[in-house]
Amino acid sequence: MIAVAGGKGGSGKTTTTLGLARALSRRGARTIAADADWDLPNLARLAAETATDGGPADPDLPGGPEDETTVRDAVRGTVPVRPDRSEPTVLAAPDAPRSVDAFGALAALDGATPDGAPVLLDCPAGASADAAAPLRAAARALIATPLRRAALRDAAKTAAIARRLDCPPVGAVAVGEASVPDSVATLLGCPVLGAVPDGGAEPLSDPAVRSAYDELARRLGETAAADGWQIA
């Protein structure tokens, strides 16, 4: 599993998780994207609002976030997780997150998903115990960050925390940028695998953003973190 992590809120983690998951699906991978930010969950809602397959975008209609399979459902086997190659399977946060052991559930998720399926965890911001849970559960981290000075400083802290939790960063992605200075890789201690341009209010519908996530998926697929992934 790969934890998509960053510094403070607004670093682009959720958009990156979903954009990358969709790009991996376009490459033929049976991909799972799970919401690990249980205090501020919005991965399922973003997926519903940006659906491109003709599915409902209204969260109050069937197929919206209220009908999403949760991480807890997947781990318990209440709803089997059977992702296909047309669109990633999105797992929402539990309905009562405080009643669930976050680390235990996220760690068990790896065994509840099909072999060879990439699993991306949308992490909480900051350095709290909640933020540490997905980093402890995942094998590697992908650091998402804008290139603002404060954001880079926070991203470097997150990368250091990930290493301490035995979840070394496989790479980083610059959010809202067309190019990245070489110094960013040095600061974060990992290669920059991609740069995603600013797509405005609806970045996931922007062709340039989509292409950037496709390139990120390609480069991520060439790393050791992708060993065992089954991509058609």
Side-chain angles (χ1 to χ4, degrees):
M1 294 192 295
I2 293 179
V4 181
K8 294 181 180 178
S11 63
K13 298 182 302 298
T14 300
T15 301
T16 294
T17 301
L18 185 58
L20 176 58
R22 286 177 172 167
L24 288 167
S25 291
R26 289 192 291 272
R27 291 180 65 81
R30 302 180 188 273
T31 309
I32 296 101
D35 200 332
D37 187 353
W38 293 0
D39 283 336
L40 295 170
N42 60 1
L43 180 64
R45 180 173 295 275
L46 180 64
E49 291 174 346
T50 60
T52 58
D53 59 357
D58 185 339
D60 295 324
L61 293 176
E66 287 77 6
D67 294 322
E68 287 284 349
T69 302
T70 70
V71 172
R72 192 177 195 183
D73 292 335
V75 170
R76 286 182 164 184
T78 306
V79 180
V81 179
R82 298 191 181 100
D84 60 34
R85 291 187 169 95
S86 62
E87 184 76 7
T89 292
V90 175
L91 301 179
D95 295 329
R98 290 303 170 190
S99 67
V100 182
D101 171 24
F103 169 69
L106 294 171
L109 185 59
D110 196 32
T113 52
D115 292 341
V119 180
L120 307 179
L121 304 180
D122 179 24
C123 293
S128 65
D130 289 339
L135 292 172
R136 290 171 58 206
R140 302 296 292 266
L142 176 68
I143 307 299
T145 181
L147 297 188
R148 298 187 301 272
R149 181 175 299 179
L152 284 169
R153 183 173 60 245
D154 290 335
K157 292 177 182 177
T158 298
I161 292 170
R163 291 186 184 92
R164 290 201 297 270
L165 295 175
D166 197 26
C167 183
V170 64
V173 54
V175 178
E177 306 291 342
S179 61
V180 187
D182 293 341
S183 58
V184 172
T186 302
L187 174 67
L188 300 179
C190 61
V192 176
L193 298 179
V196 179
D198 184 354
E202 298 181 353
L204 292 175
S205 64
D206 186 292
V209 170
R210 176 177 168 137
S211 294
Y213 282 126
D214 285 339
E215 177 63 11
L216 174 61
R218 184 191 69 79
R219 295 194 63 188
L220 183 61
E222 296 173 347
T223 69
D227 287 350
W229 286 1
Q230 295 176 5
I231 299 178

